[in-house]
Amino acid sequence: MERPAEKSAAPGPSLQDVARQLELSRQQAKISYGQLSSMTGYSKSTLHRALTGKRCPREVAEAVAHACGAKLEEPTKKWLARQGKPAPSQGEIDPNSINTRGDLQAAMRELLAASGLSLRQLELRAGVGVLPRTTVNEVVRGNRIPREELLLTFVRTLGRGHELSMWAAARQRVLRDRSIGWTQVHEPMLLTPSPRVLSVLGDIEMSEVNCFAELVDNTIGACTEVGAAISTPKISIIFDGGATQRRQESVVIRDNGPGMNREALTRAVSLAWVGNTSRGALGLGFNVAVARLGSRITVRSARRDSSAWTVLTIDLPEMARSGEWTMPVMTQEKLESDDHGTEITITGLREPWRESKGRMLRERLGDLYSYPLRSGTLVIEVNGRQASPRLPCIWAETRSVPRRGGNVSAMVKIDTTLRDAAFCLDCHHSNSPNSTVCSWCASYNLTAHKRRVKGWIGVQRYLHSSDYGIDFIRNGRKILRRDKSLFTWDNPDSLTSDLEYPLDVPTNRGRVVGEIHCDHVPVSYTKEDFNRDSPEWRTVVGIVRGEGPLRPQACKRYGYPPNDSPLSIILRAFSRNDPGLRYLIPGDGMRAVHAKAAEWAHLFQKGVPEYQSDEMWYQAALLHDQVRVSGESHADPSV
């Protein structure tokens, strides 16, 4: 039997075949050469040569095809592949392999090509003004490096939203590429750190979350100093694992603050490392935070009117090895003339972060900075996703319960203005109002400092064994979260402590919460607690809970006058957890439904619309009273 003759391979398309296909696509799309030039970024002469078969580079052919909305035939794709690079495939685009400006340009071009969208179609899909095609064209042609926001929007619009952190990390690697205009400006900085700094950095306890919070505080402080000249402060935190995303080996913290020029940056860092806390220094907390996170720190900063970035490197292992505390100072050209802010890159992480920890960090920062986040005065992103504020799930101020002497609202507001303090502009120490010299640094550079205690004490819509207490906030950040120390009274005569809330033994669940702003109260350098021995803290405690016991019977027993503090008012009205409207506790006609109320609170935190107000809880408390009065069988309060 004769073997069938093998079919000869069909000849591939020629340059003329590809050009004719592209020209036909242009005509069918009814796009002129001028319009095609605007859409692709290539000149009309280049496009004419390509579509007449004189010279048709691969990148020009791809740009024309996608601008016209054409699908390239398989033979044409093979012809393009023979021109030096395989036809793009969305699954093969790996942002972890991007390290240089050229890598980023090629990856973005491939991603756009794989989508089949023209620049005009991409702009329409993203929304007017979000991805201007002229700007995107400059980026994909390699004429500029995209801003982080534009890059992430580009990636998200093209269906790669799950890779935002990898693309953001890739952009940071590109910015560290030494081919982008690096020049050394002068000799490295020589430092002699104080013994206090060295001893603190060696063995300090500071949680990872508070390390990042310290860097967020620096941005908030910098933006506050310049006032309205800066838009809403935005901090972006990006973890980068390079080729592997299982373990994040570096982290970049970037802000849109005013930034610093070379003189300001070197001064701020040098003063911090010699233990100086005067104005303009980053402070001891900055050094503790970055040293706890990693071993090599690069700080990059620029003002809007600066012509270049100043880049300063702190290499702790090298300093320890050589015994010389030197910090190289470089400059790097700006890719955008009006760019500004500060960027901190930390490598050699002491505890490499896994992807799941990024989610945890976003949630914790959303809790710590819930007030400015929900007020719209701060934006925090972790791996390309915004941190959401943790909202207080409380009864509305309009809800009240009847008590002797009148109704008591479920929220008591606090707003007390104190006498101005004498604030030292050199060391930031707060002195007594009549001081003329700083008691800390002996400076005469004092100014009046406004002091105010404001906030509220309220009632949560659910009971919990630990999720209750008062948040104490300083400059937008919670220093104490769900603090319960004010629920205990320290008897000065017997030196004993009496727990005054909660008293529902054996569960000891509570629902009294609060939010107190006290920006003037001093904190520890790790900002994990206030200085509780300071007169400022004692004043705040007196305003919130008074001097004596919270309960009237205890006040009489120990000889104190009636306590009319906000915390005492709330506890007297809401200390019991009986179901019904008398204590604002949901019930089913027979008993309180605490588990159901907690489930609703979880839906509240997830943002489910019908659970944002307290109406669901109120109707359940009302239902309980109606069933008790009518004698009917109990019902599910959620129905």
Side-chain angles (χ1 to χ4, degrees):
M1 178 182 291
E2 293 186 3
R3 301 176 64 181
E6 295 182 0
K7 294 182 180 181
S8 60
S14 65
L15 174 60
Q16 295 297 328
D17 294 331
V18 173
R20 279 194 294 270
Q21 180 186 345
L22 295 174
E23 173 61 16
L24 180 61
S25 299
R26 183 189 70 82
Q27 294 176 4
Q28 291 174 342
K30 297 182 180 180
I31 299 175
S32 67
Y33 275 98
Q35 293 171 325
L36 191 59
S37 177
S38 299
M39 295 170 67
T40 62
Y42 293 103
S43 67
K44 289 189 288 185
S45 59
T46 299
L47 295 170
H48 189 268
R49 285 195 298 270
L51 273 62
T52 55
K54 295 179 180 178
R55 184 175 182 275
C56 188
R58 176 187 58 82
E59 61 271 14
V60 176
E62 291 174 349
V64 170
H66 295 111
C68 298
K71 295 291 185 180
L72 295 178
E73 298 175 357
E74 193 61 33
T76 301
K77 292 182 180 180
K78 292 180 178 179
W79 180 87
L80 291 174
R82 291 198 298 270
Q83 308 309 303
K85 197 166 189 177
S89 170
Q90 186 169 351
E92 297 175 0
I93 302 172
D94 182 12
N96 295 321
S97 64
I98 298 172
N99 293 290
T100 67
R101 187 173 185 167
D103 292 343
L104 181 60
Q105 173 205 1
M108 292 183 68
R109 288 187 67 88
E110 291 178 11
L111 187 58
L112 179 61
S115 72
L117 297 175
S118 67
L119 292 177
R120 184 184 295 276
Q121 292 167 333
L122 177 67
E123 182 179 31
L124 292 175
R125 176 180 289 188
V128 178
V130 178
L131 287 176
R133 61 180 180 274
T134 54
T135 303
V136 175
N137 178 60
E138 285 290 299
V139 170
V140 297
R141 292 187 65 186
N143 295 335
R144 62 195 294 187
I145 292 178
R147 295 179 184 271
E148 182 179 284
E149 185 175 355
L150 184 139
L151 174 62
L152 298 185
T153 303
F154 177 89
V155 171
R156 188 185 296 111
T157 304
L158 294 180
R160 305 289 282 258
H162 60 289
E163 297 177 346
L164 293 181
S165 61
M166 290 186 283
W167 283 89
R171 180 181 178 274
Q172 297 301 331
R173 292 195 296 275
V174 170
L175 293 178
R176 297 196 294 270
D177 181 10
R178 291 284 172 172
S179 66
I180 306 179
W182 289 81
T183 57
Q184 188 165 355
V185 293
H186 57 69
E187 292 297 319
M189 292 174 53
L190 299 176
L191 294 178
T192 306
S194 70
R196 177 168 176 257
V197 171
L198 292 176
S199 62
V200 165
L201 291 180
D203 189 27
I204 189 67
E205 287 297 330
M206 191 173 189
S207 70
E208 293 170 321
V209 172
N210 275 356
C211 288
F212 286 102
E214 178 65 30
L215 304 180
V216 173
D217 286 348
N218 285 340
T219 294
I220 295 176
C223 292
T224 301
E225 286 187 6
V226 297
I230 295 295
S231 59
T232 301
K234 177 181 177 181
I235 295 94
S236 173
I237 301 173
I238 297 293
F239 291 95
D240 182 16
T244 173
Q245 288 297 308
R246 293 183 179 179
R247 292 164 58 90
Q248 315 297 316
E249 302 295 343
S250 66
V251 62
V252 179
I253 303 96
R254 172 77 189 273
D255 66 51
N256 66 339
M260 293 173 276
N261 57 25
R262 178 165 58 87
E263 291 75 15
L265 177 61
T266 54
R267 179 179 182 275
V269 173
S270 63
L271 289 179
W273 281 83
V274 298
N276 194 320
T277 59
S278 63
R279 189 169 189 170
L282 290 174
L284 183 58
F286 166 81
N287 290 321
V288 173
V290 295
R292 287 289 295 174
L293 289 173
S295 59
R296 193 172 189 273
I297 303 98
T298 301
V299 184
R300 181 174 174 264
S301 190
R303 297 189 184 276
R304 188 186 298 272
D305 57 357
S306 300
S307 60
W309 295 92
T310 299
V311 185
L312 189 150
T313 303
I314 305 168
D315 193 333
L316 296 177
E318 176 61 22
M319 289 177 176
R321 185 192 64 78
S322 65
E324 296 182 0
W325 287 72
T326 61
M327 297 186 185
V329 181
M330 311 282 286
T331 57
Q332 184 185 28
E333 66 173 300
K334 276 188 176 181
L335 300 175
E336 300 287 345
S337 60
D338 64 342
D339 210 357
H340 60 89
T342 299
E343 177 183 285
I344 301 171
T345 301
I346 304 174
T347 58
L349 299 184
R350 295 181 183 274
E351 297 183 20
W353 282 58
R354 297 185 181 276
E355 187 67 26
S356 59
K357 293 185 71 174
R359 182 176 64 253
M360 180 274 292
L361 176 63
R362 185 167 56 249
E363 293 174 353
R364 289 292 303 275
L365 291 178
D367 187 2
L368 284 178
Y369 295 96
S370 60
Y371 181 77
L373 287 175
R374 73 173 188 258
S375 303
T377 57
L378 177 67
V379 175
I380 300 176
E381 289 185 352
V382 180
N383 288 346
R385 297 183 180 180
Q386 282 196 20
S388 300
R390 185 185 189 277
L391 304 177
C393 185
I394 55 176
W395 288 94
E397 186 181 3
T398 55
R399 304 295 190 189
S400 61
V401 296
R403 293 292 182 267
R404 183 181 301 175
N407 289 347
V408 178
S409 172
M411 175 188 287
V412 178
K413 291 188 175 180
I414 299 172
D415 194 346
T416 303
T417 300
L418 306 173
R419 292 181 61 190
D420 292 352
F423 184 74
C424 179
L425 295 176
D426 291 328
C427 72
H428 290 193
H429 180 69
S430 183
N431 299 271
S432 58
N434 298 324
S435 300
T436 57
V437 61
C438 179
S439 61
W440 183 262
C441 70
S443 170
Y444 290 90
N445 192 15
L446 305 181
T447 186
H449 186 212
K450 301 292 183 182
R451 298 190 300 172
R452 183 182 179 191
V453 180
K454 64 176 182 176
W456 51 267
I457 299 295
V459 182
Q460 204 161 238
R461 302 177 204 164
Y462 61 98
L463 280 170
H464 200 275
S465 59
S466 60
D467 187 16
Y468 68 95
I470 304 174
D471 295 332
F472 288 91
I473 300 173
R474 185 177 187 268
N475 297 328
R477 170 181 168 183
K478 293 180 184 178
I479 303 300
L480 297 175
R481 298 182 306 121
R482 270 80 80 188
D483 182 71
K484 302 169 180 61
S485 62
L486 269 62
F487 298 149
T488 298
W489 181 62
D490 296 325
N491 190 331
D493 296 328
S494 62
L495 300 180
T496 58
S497 296
D498 297 330
L499 178 65
E500 299 182 285
Y501 179 82
L503 297 177
D504 60 336
V505 180
T507 59
N508 284 331
R509 292 178 297 178
R511 59 178 179 142
V512 172
V513 294
E515 187 176 87
I516 306 299
H517 298 258
C518 45
D519 298 344
H520 65 286
V521 180
V523 295
S524 63
Y525 55 82
T526 60
K527 296 183 182 177
E528 294 178 329
D529 201 351
F530 290 94
N531 181 355
R532 303 205 185 203
D533 293 328
S534 67
E536 292 88 351
W537 172 255
R538 291 196 294 270
T539 299
V540 171
V541 171
I543 292 172
V544 176
R545 65 147 292 143
E547 297 298 330
L550 294 170
R551 300 180 178 277
Q553 299 84 347
C555 287
K556 292 180 181 179
R557 184 165 62 251
Y558 292 110
Y560 283 86
N563 190 332
D564 294 323
S565 68
L567 183 57
S568 179
I569 292 173
I570 288 292
L571 286 184
R572 289 202 303 267
F574 296 96
S575 59
R576 296 183 61 172
N577 301 319
D578 301 339
L581 292 180
R582 181 170 176 78
Y583 292 99
L584 293 180
I585 293 288
D588 61 4
M590 295 185 62
R591 62 184 66 83
V593 288
H594 297 310
K596 180 69 70 174
E599 290 177 11
W600 296 340
H602 179 67
L603 295 173
F604 166 86
Q605 292 296 345
K606 292 181 66 174
V608 178
E610 55 265 38
Y611 294 92
Q612 296 310 296
S613 75
D614 61 9
E615 188 63 24
M616 187 74 71
W617 287 261
Y618 182 84
Q619 290 299 326
L622 175 62
L623 173 65
H624 176 86
D625 289 344
Q626 292 174 340
V627 171
R628 290 292 300 273
V629 171
S630 66
E632 298 177 357
S633 60
H634 68 282
D636 186 345
S638 63
V639 176

